[in-house]
Every structure is written in C-alpha cells, then in structure tokens.
Amino acid sequence: MKIGAPKEIFDGENRVAMTPESALQLIKLGHTCVIQAGAGAKAGFSDATYATAGVEVVPTAQALYDAADVVVKVRGPEAEEARLLKSGQTLISFFWPAQNPDLLAQIAGQGATAIAMDMVPRISRAQKMDALSSMANIAGYRAVIEAGNNFGRFFTGQVTAAGKVPPAKVLIVGAGVAGLAAIGTATSLGAIVLAFDVRPEVAEQIESMGANFVFLEFDASELPDGAATGGYAAPSSPAFAAKQLAKFRELAPEMDIVITTALIPGRPAPKLWTADMVAMMKPGSVVIDLAAERGGNCDLTVPDQKIVSDNGVTIVGYTDFPSRMAAQSSTLYSNNIRHMLADLTPKKDGVIAHNMDDDVIRGATVTHQGAVTYPPPPPKIAAIAAAKPKPKAVELTPVEKRAQEVAAFKTQTRNQVGLLAIGAILLLALGLVAPASFMQHFIVFVLAVFVGFQVIWNVSHSLHTPLMAITNAISSIIILGALMQIGSGSWLVMLLAALSIFMAGINIFGGFLVTRRMLAMFQKS
C-alpha cells in the first residue's frame, strides 16, 4: 500500500510525519511511500533526500490524498484536509477525539478510518508507539533551553576572578515524561532542582535524577489516585490543592525558574502558579508553562506568547515546543508512526490488516468502516495495575510481643538441637565404617562449610549483591579448607592448596570490585 505524508498546514508547525529514514523502514514492510513537495523542508529534510530514499514526491496535497492508501500527519486534519479523505482510506495523526466530535462524525461519514496517536493505550507493548511521551520528552528538554535563553544567567554556580555566581534554582511542577526530561536537563546544566508531583511514588525517580522532591504533609484521604487516569495524575482534592498552593507560595520567592507540566486528559490545565506567586518572584525570573495549550498552569499565561509581568518575571506560553526542535521531533514521531504501521502490517507484505481485536489498534482507532469507535473499551491489560491493599498488622501488647519472641527462640533452638543430634548420629555412623584418614579430612570439610557460611553469608547485602554473597560463601569454604591442608607434608597437596587460595581470593576480591562498580552506576558523581 502507499503511505503518504502531506505538508502540515497548521500555522507554525514545522514537523513532518515521515522522514527519509522511516520511509526506508516502511519500504521494508512492503509499502511504497509518497510525500508532498516541501513537507519536510522546515525539519531539515529536502525533497532530494526523500527521492534518494525511494520516496515519490508529488506537487500538491490533492495529488497525495489521491495517491495514498494511508495518510500520516502530525496535527489533526483541518476541515479542508478532512474533505480530501476517501472511503477506505486510513488517516494516522494526533486527533484529540474528545475535543473534535464534529470532525469524528465527518470522517466516519466519509467512510475513512482514523487512528489517533494520542489515544494509543499506555501499556508496555505500546510504548514504541507512544507519541505523547515522545513529544513530551522533547517539550521538557526544550522548556529548560527556552528558560535558559530568557533567564540571562548561568544555570551552574561558578567562582571566578570577577566574583561568585550562585547556581540557578529551578522548580519543576509535575514529574511526568516532560517533567522528568526537564529535571534531567536542568540538573545536567548544574542548577539546583526541586520537583513536585501529586504522586508520591515518583519521589524516588526524581531523587535518582539528582533533584529534590518537594514533600507535603497530608492525610491519606487527601491524596489523589494516580492510577485512576491511566498513569496520569488525577485531580487533587480541595484540601490537598490548598496545601499544594501554600507550599508553592513558600517556594516562590526563592525560585529563579519555574516549569509547569501538569495536565489531566480531557480537562483544562489546573491552575498551580497563581498571579500572587508570580508577584513574589524576583525580577528576571522565568516561568515556562508547558500546559499553555490547555489554558495554562499559570494565571498569567497567554497561549503562544511570551509576556513580562509588572515585576519583571518572564512568562512563556508557547504551545509548539516540540515543533521548535523539528528535526528531532520528526525523527521520533515518524518512528512512532512506523511502529504503528508495523503492527498494522503483521505479515510485512504491504497489506494493512486492521485487527480490531488488538488492544493497541482498537484503543487508537476512533473511526472505522463508517462508524465512530471512540471511546474505546478499556484494554484487557490495565495500564497500571491497582496495588492490592495490604492487610493491617495486628497490634500486639509488649507482653504478647515478648511471649511471641520467646516462643520463636524456643522453636529455633529446638530445631538447631535436632539438626545437631541428627548430624552427630550420621557422623558417628560414618565413623564406624570409614577409615580414620577419611574422617579427618571430612571433619575439616564440614567445619570449613560451617565457618564459611557463618562468616560470609551474614555480610550485609548493602556491601554486595545476594548472588555475590553466595559465590563468596562458596569461595570462603574453599579458602578455609585449603588453609587446613597447606601445612601438609606432601608438596602436591601444598601446591594444590596454594592454588585454591589464590583462585578463590581472586573470585572474592573480584566480586567485591564488580559489585562496587555496579553500585557506582546508581550514585550521583
């Protein structure tokens, strides 16, 4: 089938849904590719580059829609683009079906199939098609670059002959994909980064990236359920929201840069950075609002504009952060499209098989065979499994705890005595039939096993991994046994014992060295 990418007509959109590299991969699936002339120019892909990759270049959008069986786009179709779709044709693009019911009905009425990249279910198998995450990652990175451009000072602290420069203090509100990308970029530039999210489980991710998690004190009843909306943060309760805003007011005077990323699917952006917080900030500070397209997290945000408040704070409300890095965005988005087409072409024979029993394809399909198929049924595999509540532990009195400890100690002692008695009986039975020389070596072996186990097995796993603990225990048994034999009168026995000590020593010290390197991977330098 022919896969076609038209030129985006949305004002300011620089991305393209097909790159020369992705076209080569689509050709391997058995498809042929066609692109409108100039479609990739703003992203740095010339028509000649497409032609070299084997893509047919057509002069107009009408010619492309007439030729293509599947049309791939970035932005959802405008009304005049939707009219060009024919019955049996497939459109793959961002769509936002909840906000565009009339467009849905129009495309369904024309008999075309529409696949919304913003509706791809957030399950493990669909991560390669998750265009929302791809674009959010770029938006978070670009937000920090844009903040640095408007901040006018260093991110990192410096001590120079001309004076001391303090590091910038950055607050990231929302630790989704965009927020984590912003955290990584800001910390790599040397800023002091604080991050907040209503989901306390992301605190570990934030701190692992070198940022400080902003904690709130709240009751469990005030906490929103982060799993309720497919992995996105859920709306906060009024009590939680009040504490959240109070914390932000406390932080506002100290922050140089604030980046807000909070969005809830199908809802306006929550107001998290109010006008009075902006008034508390220092002149020259910057607010980057990544939620500007949905109304903004900041009271003063003006979509698609950069404004300066009365007290000199710059507020950036651009809605096209991914488009400002068009080459990178187009590369990632076209890969998401390619993976979607790979799932639609299971036999790699260039034939689209639209399997509505597939969770991913069904979830993303919003119109099919003349019908509106939005909203989709919930996927068979939940996006995020709800954690089972742990049963509450029964509270014991001090007397009951003591009685429990004594009973456990008696049971442990009884088991140990029983094992020792059985071992002694077996050893005595073996001594009745085995020669004295064998028993001498056997007792040395048993003692080596026991001592090695007690010495090494009880070493804390914070010093090495559980697997390394086991290998070190075995190596210690070898060393202890060899030490008992190294004083033997036989030169062969002495040589073998020395080799055993040498090889086991390499294993133990090498194990600790490898473990140290493994642990260093998770430590901030």
Side-chain angles (χ1 to χ4, degrees):
M1 288 190 169
K2 275 195 174 182
I3 314 297
K7 187 176 181 179
E8 299 292 328
I9 65 173
F10 187 87
D11 188 33
E13 182 56 71
N14 300 323
R15 292 171 290 179
V16 63
M18 182 193 295
T19 64
E21 185 180 353
S22 71
L24 290 172
Q25 299 300 319
L26 293 174
I27 292 169
K28 289 180 181 178
L29 292 173
H31 300 294
T32 56
C33 296
V34 57
I35 194 163
Q36 183 182 347
K42 292 180 180 178
F45 305 111
S46 65
D47 292 345
T49 309
Y50 282 106
T52 303
V55 180
E56 180 187 354
V57 181
V58 296
T60 64
Q62 182 68 60
L64 184 132
Y65 278 85
D66 288 343
D69 300 297
V70 179
V71 177
V72 294
K73 279 179 49 59
V74 179
R75 296 271 181 171
E78 301 288 337
E80 62 265 33
E81 292 178 303
R83 283 193 290 269
L84 295 175
L85 289 168
K86 304 185 296 291
S87 178
Q89 211 167 26
T90 298
L91 169 72
I92 304 177
S93 72
F94 282 114
F95 205 98
W96 309 111
Q99 287 78 36
N100 296 290
D102 294 340
L103 188 61
L104 270 180
Q106 177 187 344
I107 292 177
Q110 293 172 204
T113 294
I115 296 177
M117 293 302 289
D118 48 284
M119 289 297 298
V120 171
R122 285 198 157 178
I123 58 177
S124 297
R125 186 168 64 84
Q127 287 180 357
K128 61 188 178 182
M129 308 170 216
D130 190 353
L132 286 176
S133 292
S134 297
M135 298 302 101
N137 181 29
I138 293 172
Y141 175 87
R142 179 69 189 197
V144 177
I145 303 303
E146 204 70 43
N149 184 48
N150 287 279
F151 183 46
R153 283 172 35 203
F154 291 140
F155 269 72
T156 186
Q158 291 189 15
V159 178
T160 70
K164 183 179 179 181
V165 179
K169 290 186 177 180
V170 180
L171 173 64
I172 313 259
V173 181
V177 176
L180 292 174
I183 290 169
T185 308
T187 52
S188 67
L189 290 172
I192 297 173
V193 182
L194 286 76
F196 173 82
D197 198 281
V198 297
R199 300 163 294 179
E201 61 267 24
V202 303
E204 216 171 288
Q205 299 176 46
I206 289 169
E207 291 173 350
S208 70
M209 298 184 73
N212 300 306
F213 184 67
V214 177
F215 286 95
L216 285 182
E217 292 184 6
F218 50 83
D219 297 327
S221 60
E222 300 171 351
L223 184 66
D225 180 11
T229 53
Y232 292 97
S236 301
S237 65
F240 186 90
K243 291 182 179 179
Q244 184 179 351
L245 294 178
K247 187 65 177 180
F248 292 161
R249 287 189 180 94
E250 179 186 327
L251 294 172
E254 304 174 20
M255 295 300 113
D256 297 307
I257 295 170
V258 176
I259 298 174
T260 63
T261 71
L263 276 175
I264 301 167
R267 295 172 180 262
K271 297 298 180 184
L272 301 177
W273 205 257
T274 57
D276 63 304
M277 295 177 195
V278 175
M280 295 177 187
M281 297 178 74
K282 295 169 286 190
S285 300
V286 180
V287 176
I288 306 288
D289 194 341
L290 290 180
E293 195 166 6
R294 303 295 180 85
N297 296 135
C298 178
D299 279 343
L300 304 182
T301 297
V302 179
D304 294 312
Q305 291 186 32
K306 178 175 71 175
I307 66 168
V308 180
S309 68
D310 294 338
N311 62 322
V313 176
T314 301
I315 301 160
V316 179
Y318 299 151
T319 60
D320 60 348
F321 283 102
S323 186
R324 288 170 181 259
M325 299 183 67
Q328 185 67 76
S329 299
S330 299
T331 299
L332 294 183
Y333 181 70
S334 63
N335 283 337
N336 296 139
I337 293 281
R338 172 174 64 84
H339 287 302
M340 175 62 77
L341 285 166
D343 271 27
L344 288 166
T345 319
K347 295 182 180 180
K348 299 183 179 181
D349 56 356
V351 177
I352 296 292
H354 202 105
N355 180 13
M356 291 294 274
D357 292 327
D358 184 290
D359 276 344
V360 178
I361 295 172
R362 175 64 188 90
T365 302
V366 292
T367 69
H368 186 55
Q369 294 180 345
V372 174
T373 58
Y374 173 83
K380 301 182 185 73
I381 304 170
I384 297 178
K388 294 181 179 178
K390 294 181 180 178
K392 289 186 177 180
V394 179
E395 293 289 337
L396 300 177
T397 64
V399 175
E400 289 173 332
K401 287 181 180 178
R402 178 62 181 165
Q404 199 176 60
E405 290 172 359
V406 170
F409 177 75
K410 286 181 179 178
T411 302
Q412 184 180 6
T413 304
R414 189 161 47 249
N415 292 339
Q416 288 178 343
V417 170
L419 289 173
L420 285 173
I422 293 171
I425 292 170
L426 291 175
L427 197 61
L428 180 61
L430 184 62
L432 293 175
V433 296
S437 58
F438 172 80
M439 289 303 299
Q440 179 183 356
H441 293 298
F442 184 72
I443 290 172
V444 168
F445 172 73
V446 170
L447 289 175
V449 170
F450 178 76
V451 174
F453 181 86
Q454 292 297 325
V455 169
I456 301 297
W457 189 262
N458 290 322
V459 174
S460 170
H461 285 169
S462 62
L463 301 180
H464 51 33
T465 64
L467 177 61
M468 204 62 70
I470 297 170
T471 59
N472 283 350
I474 296 171
S475 298
S476 69
I477 293 169
I478 296 171
I479 286 179
L480 289 172
L483 287 173
M484 298 294 293
Q485 299 297 322
I486 203 165
S488 171
S490 170
W491 68 269
L492 180 61
V493 173
M494 290 175 61
L495 178 62
L496 292 174
L499 286 173
S500 299
I501 293 171
F502 177 70
M503 298 300 292
I506 290 176
N507 189 45
I508 290 177
F509 291 113
F512 275 106
L513 183 61
V514 170
T515 303
R516 176 61 188 162
R517 289 183 178 178
M518 290 170 59
L519 293 174
M521 293 170 61
F522 302 95
Q523 293 174 347
K524 185 182 177 185
S525 58

